[in-house]
Amino acid sequence: MTLKGDIDEIRFRNEENGFTIAVLDAEGEPVIATGVFPPVVEGQTVVLEGGWVVHKKYGRQFKAERCDIEKPSGIDGIVRYLGSGLIRGIGPALALRIVSVFGENTFSVIEKNPAKLATVRGISASKAEDIAKAYGEIKDMQDAVMTLQSFDIPLGTAMRIYKVYGKDTADTVSKNPYLLIEDVEGIGFITADKIAAKTGIARDSVFRVSAGLIYTLKESVRQGGNTCYPFNDAVSEAAALLDVEEELVRSVADSLILEHRLKLTAIAGEEALALPGVFRTEKNAAVLLTRLIVSADSTVYDVAGDIEAYEKINGIALHALQKEAVSACVQSGVTLITGGPGTGKTTIIKCIIELFEKLGKTVLLMAPTGRAAKRMSEATGREASTIHRACKFGSDMASGENLAADAVIVDEFSMVDIFLFEALLKKIPAGVRLVLVGDKDQLPSVGAGNVLADIMRSGAVKSVQLNQIYRQAEESLIVTNAHAVNRGEMPVLDDKNSDFFYLAAKEPEKIAAKTVDMVERAAKFIGVTPDRVQVLCPMKNGAAGAINVNRLLQRRLNPDAGGGRVEDEDYVYREGDKVMHIVNNYDLQWKIASGYNFREGSGVYNGDIGAIREVNSSRGDMTVEFEDGRVAVYTPDIYNQLVLAYAITVHKSQGSEFDAVILPVTSGGPMIMTRNLLYTAVTRAKKLVVMIGDKSRIKYMVDNNYVAARYSLLSGFIRDAQRDTALLFSGGKDEGA
């Protein structure tokens, strides 16, 4: 529905995102209107599209989804508009003098003949130009936002677009709306394509086909984790997306290759396409890794005695593979250690640290997530950081110094994607030892690349695979069941005296209900609060998917008490809700209270879990405190970077460890309900696993060893870098020639 009125009062406005709370005079009736507005001031007439809502605290109000602005009319309206402060250099008194001279022609004078303003007392020629410029900027923004709305672009998105393109917004969007995909966060191909259709861009336009093909490759990176993609597959998928002939896409692909907008490469003897930036990242990572391999000092250390001393002091006995791993870390430039739960990876890390320190070397500990870094700190008694923070990954990365260390140890390496890996390698000087520790059988990184597997496949790095389970770990059914699943065997489900339980249920609704009931019971059983229990769902959607289970758990654990709340597409957020940040936002500001002082910084990352401490409906923002004490404020334009986290997907749990894990198992597609997803879920638990579902579905997952193919080039690039290095040291003679 439509609501027209004059703005009587602006009670709140966030200039960063445009969220506004205004009081309108709508045919003599005061109305509260909220939403994302372009710059508006008291006295302006607005036409809003949206609907009525009832806020529990503030009552009936109009929630706007579109805002058109009418130019103020009448002497009083013009004076009020000019004197509002919206236009730099004009206050109420000056506004009155201007309008007293030019009357209802005031706006025409400012736009077309601003020099006339200098005839008004208090306005010089230069000030007249400044006023005209400021008025033009505001008008450009308002006009641009209204133009974008004509393409059915939501207000919030329209404001984001304007921030990118400024006064060129309308021109850019009209000529090539596909640029929005690359330039503006949150805009995908479908939105851009709808705009293109309205601007008259032909279905077989080169603009459109180029955008569709590049979008297909970007989605392959974002969704599939690929760093390249078979040429024919990319062409056929893009053609299907665009509804055009494959031959046309093939022709455009050839042109994009010639223009260096796409990179032609090969994988497994088949032509493949890659985005140039991704291609360079992967190739550079290979070069940097090779540099670390060959730059290690050639000193041979006899560590056998040191290992023996460590065993004696700590009352342990390392098995042969563990000793081999420790020795390799000290001797080699780069070492990769893999192993499942209970194989002693943490023991090895502690031993390596002590041996490095005994040799007088400084050691830095890192992990991909805050949770993993915290766990690493607790296990070793030494400070560990996230890779992001250590490398200042993001906007200020280039300005940061190299890491000051003789050795760097990275835990949970299976989670590291190619972009993070390259960022890390850029910060490690030549000669520094690099130790990579992970579990090769877990799900691959959420981000692009197949880094751990590619390094193993290259054969360039000393790799030790741990396979012996420690005796004390064997006492845990979590550990033994995890290894059973990994071997393709059914886990033990009927041992009532263990840390691994099974509850039978078939229908998704019943599985979801039992999951909700079990959270508080599990927390009580192991003596923790419910927030320390994590539900891990294989899928987002469905009755037992993360979205629905979140709603059910929110209702149970944090019922609506009538306080502040905000809404997005999937959830209602309330104070006290458990939430997770789901993208890397390098610019989001945070504070940590330390006594009476505050430590400030920026960067909140994918997988960070916290709780909503305050919802301020009047300002339209929420305050979230993360587990490490960081406090960040979320405005409406970044609400979509949060999800409720009572339940999360197994993919989102990577790198994290929880006191208790509850796993609802339902029917699902063969590409989702896989053995390594089940293995990953089980290995996230420290004290308790509760599996809920039908045994036949669990067996299906155990038997389903499907692993989605990931196309990547790192292993080949590493071999190339090794060959080039060998040629360099041999004086350019290829011994194989």
Side-chain angles (χ1 to χ4, degrees), residues 439-445 450 482 485-488 650-651 653-654 670-684 700-708:
D439 185 346
K440 67 179 181 64
D441 295 312
Q442 286 195 29
L443 292 169
S445 61
N450 216 7
V485 168
N486 200 35
R487 293 191 300 268
V650 177
H651 284 85
S653 75
Q654 289 174 261
M671 292 184 291
I672 296 174
M673 308 302 284
T674 64
R675 182 188 300 174
N676 69 339
L677 184 137
L678 183 61
Y679 172 78
T680 300
V682 171
T683 57
R684 300 305 87 203
Y700 175 85
M701 293 184 75
V702 171
D703 292 341
N704 180 19
N705 201 24
Y706 171 84
V707 178

Side-chain angles (χ1 to χ4, degrees), residues 35 71 172 216 222 254 259 279 288 321 349 408 458 507 582 603 609 637 647 655 658 670 693 717:
K71 189 176 290 186
T172 301
T216 298
R222 190 176 71 87
D254 291 339
E259 296 168 9
F279 184 89
L288 293 170
L321 277 176
I349 291 173
V408 174
S458 74
E507 293 80 11
I582 58 171
I609 291 177
D637 57 321
F658 309 97
F717 284 152

Side-chain angles (χ1 to χ4, degrees), residues 66-352:
R66 177 186 173 105
C67 175
D68 291 322
I69 302 170
E70 294 186 356
K71 189 176 290 186
S73 59
I75 298 298
D76 289 343
I78 297 171
V79 170
R80 200 172 177 191
Y81 174 80
L82 289 179
S84 66
L86 186 63
I87 299 173
R88 296 187 304 274
I90 303 180
L94 185 55
L96 186 61
R97 291 203 299 275
I98 294 171
V99 178
S100 67
V101 175
F102 301 112
E104 294 194 4
N105 293 322
T106 296
F107 292 126
S108 179
V109 170
I110 296 174
E111 287 182 58
K112 299 176 182 177
N113 199 359
K116 283 187 175 182
L117 292 173
T119 62
V120 178
R121 179 170 54 85
I123 299 181
S124 64
S126 62
K127 186 167 182 174
E129 290 179 7
D130 290 343
I131 289 171
K133 183 180 178 182
Y135 175 79
E137 289 172 354
I138 297 299
K139 189 174 182 301
D140 285 344
M141 179 182 284
Q142 292 178 340
D143 290 348
V145 170
M146 285 191 285
T147 298
L148 293 172
Q149 289 183 129
S150 69
F151 297 131
D152 296 326
I153 296 174
L155 267 169
T157 306
M159 292 290 290
R160 291 205 306 276
I161 294 172
Y162 184 82
K163 282 186 177 181
V164 175
Y165 299 121
K167 62 183 179 59
D168 298 324
T169 296
D171 189 54
T172 301
V173 173
S174 299
K175 288 182 177 177
N176 188 0
Y178 298 104
L179 291 174
L180 297 172
I181 302 169
E182 299 182 35
D183 296 341
V184 184
E185 183 187 354
I187 293 186
F189 182 82
I190 302 300
T191 299
D193 206 39
K194 287 179 179 176
I195 298 170
K198 291 188 176 185
T199 61
I201 292 176
R203 193 165 61 87
D204 59 354
S205 160
V206 172
F207 277 146
R208 182 170 185 266
V209 178
S210 298
L213 180 56
I214 291 172
Y215 174 78
T216 298
L217 290 171
K218 284 188 172 182
E219 283 298 283
S220 169
V221 174
R222 190 176 71 87
Q223 298 281 14
N226 303 300
T227 59
C228 63
Y229 207 52
F231 188 101
N232 291 332
D233 291 349
V235 167
S236 63
E237 288 182 24
L241 172 72
L242 297 161
D243 193 23
V244 298
E245 295 296 324
E246 287 190 12
E247 195 55 42
L248 174 60
V249 181
R250 204 173 291 276
S251 172
V252 170
D254 291 339
S255 298
L256 292 174
I257 293 167
L258 291 173
E259 296 168 9
H260 304 291
R261 294 175 64 191
L262 290 181
K263 188 77 178 178
L264 182 64
T265 184
I267 184 159
E270 184 181 356
E271 283 190 338
L273 291 172
L275 297 166
V278 181
F279 184 89
R280 286 192 298 270
T281 296
E282 202 161 25
K283 191 168 187 175
N284 193 41
V287 171
L288 293 170
L289 183 69
T290 302
R291 180 197 61 175
L292 288 181
I293 295 171
V294 303
S295 65
D297 69 77
S298 56
T299 306
V300 177
Y301 298 99
D302 183 11
V303 297
D306 293 330
I307 293 174
E308 186 178 342
Y310 178 84
E311 290 176 309
K312 188 174 181 180
I313 292 170
N314 292 276
I316 61 172
L318 302 182
H319 58 74
L321 277 176
Q322 289 178 312
K323 292 178 182 179
E324 181 185 342
V326 172
S327 180
C329 293
V330 176
Q331 305 287 358
S332 306
V334 183
T335 308
L336 176 63
I337 301 170
T338 67
T343 56
K345 296 192 297 293
T346 301
T347 301
I348 286 178
I349 291 173
K350 290 161 71 174
C351 183
I352 295 166

Side-chain angles (χ1 to χ4, degrees), residues 388-698:
H388 295 87
R389 289 208 190 101
C391 299
K392 298 183 177 178
F393 190 74
S395 56
D396 62 343
M397 182 184 156
S399 62
E401 298 179 352
N402 284 339
L403 296 171
D406 299 306
V408 174
I409 303 175
V410 181
D411 199 10
E412 294 286 355
F413 186 64
S414 63
M415 288 188 66
V416 175
D417 63 32
I418 191 62
F419 304 108
L420 190 57
F421 189 49
E422 188 216 23
L424 171 65
L425 293 174
K426 282 181 175 179
K427 293 295 183 178
I428 302 178
V432 172
R433 298 286 201 266
L434 176 61
V435 179
L436 308 171
V437 184
D439 185 346
K440 67 179 181 64
D441 295 312
Q442 286 195 29
L443 292 169
S445 61
V446 175
N450 216 7
V451 180
L452 189 155
D454 276 347
I455 292 174
M456 291 183 67
R457 197 178 296 121
S458 74
V461 169
K462 174 64 179 178
S463 177
V464 181
Q465 299 183 48
L466 306 176
N467 51 31
Q468 183 172 321
I469 305 172
Y470 267 94
R471 180 172 53 80
Q472 57 267 39
E474 288 181 332
E475 298 172 2
S476 166
L477 202 54
I478 296 174
V479 172
T480 56
N481 272 345
H483 286 277
V485 168
N486 200 35
R487 293 191 300 268
E489 301 169 3
M490 274 292 284
V492 176
L493 301 176
D494 53 2
D495 187 345
K496 303 301 182 184
N497 299 310
S498 71
D499 52 7
F500 198 108
F501 292 89
Y502 164 73
L503 295 177
K506 288 190 176 183
E507 293 80 11
E509 292 79 11
K510 289 185 178 179
I511 293 172
K514 285 192 175 184
T515 298
V516 172
D517 289 339
M518 184 51 62
V519 169
E520 289 174 302
R521 289 173 60 191
K524 186 176 180 180
F525 181 77
I526 60 173
V528 299
T529 53
D531 65 293
R532 304 290 296 272
V533 177
Q534 188 60 59
V535 176
L536 301 182
C537 299
M539 297 171 292
K540 283 178 61 179
N541 299 313
I547 292 175
N548 189 55
V549 174
N550 263 315
R551 294 191 185 113
L552 297 174
L553 282 168
Q554 182 190 47
R555 205 176 299 159
R556 174 71 64 85
L557 301 176
N558 190 31
D560 192 352
R565 53 186 270 156
V566 297
E567 298 181 32
D568 75 354
E569 185 177 344
D570 291 323
Y571 300 120
V572 174
Y573 298 96
R574 298 194 286 263
E575 290 176 4
D577 276 335
K578 182 179 179 180
V579 290
M580 171 184 277
H581 190 92
I582 58 171
V583 297
N584 290 329
N585 185 333
Y586 306 108
D587 300 319
L588 184 58
Q589 300 294 308
W590 51 259
K591 292 182 178 180
I592 295 179
S594 179
Y596 293 103
N597 301 313
F598 285 94
R599 182 160 60 89
E600 297 180 332
S602 63
V604 180
Y605 305 111
N606 187 5
D608 287 350
I609 291 177
I612 299 174
R613 297 305 181 208
E614 181 187 9
V615 176
N616 192 313
S617 302
S618 63
R619 292 198 310 263
D621 62 38
M622 330 184 244
T623 301
V624 176
E625 181 179 357
F626 293 98
E627 292 176 325
D628 60 0
R630 288 171 299 150
V631 176
V633 176
Y634 286 73
T635 49
D637 57 321
I638 57 171
Y639 285 168
N640 62 351
Q641 296 183 10
L642 285 177
V643 295
L644 290 181
Y646 300 103
I648 61 177
T649 63
V650 177
H651 284 85
K652 286 294 184 184
S653 75
Q654 289 174 261
S656 296
E657 199 172 60
F658 309 97
D659 286 335
V661 163
I662 299 175
L663 178 65
V665 181
T666 60
S667 299
M671 292 184 291
I672 296 174
M673 308 302 284
T674 64
R675 182 188 300 174
N676 69 339
L677 184 137
L678 183 61
Y679 172 78
T680 300
V682 171
T683 57
R684 300 305 87 203
K686 291 193 293 185
K687 300 178 181 178
L688 179 68
V689 170
V690 181
M691 203 175 284
I692 303 173
D694 187 80
K695 285 185 180 180
S696 65
R697 300 310 306 171
I698 298 171

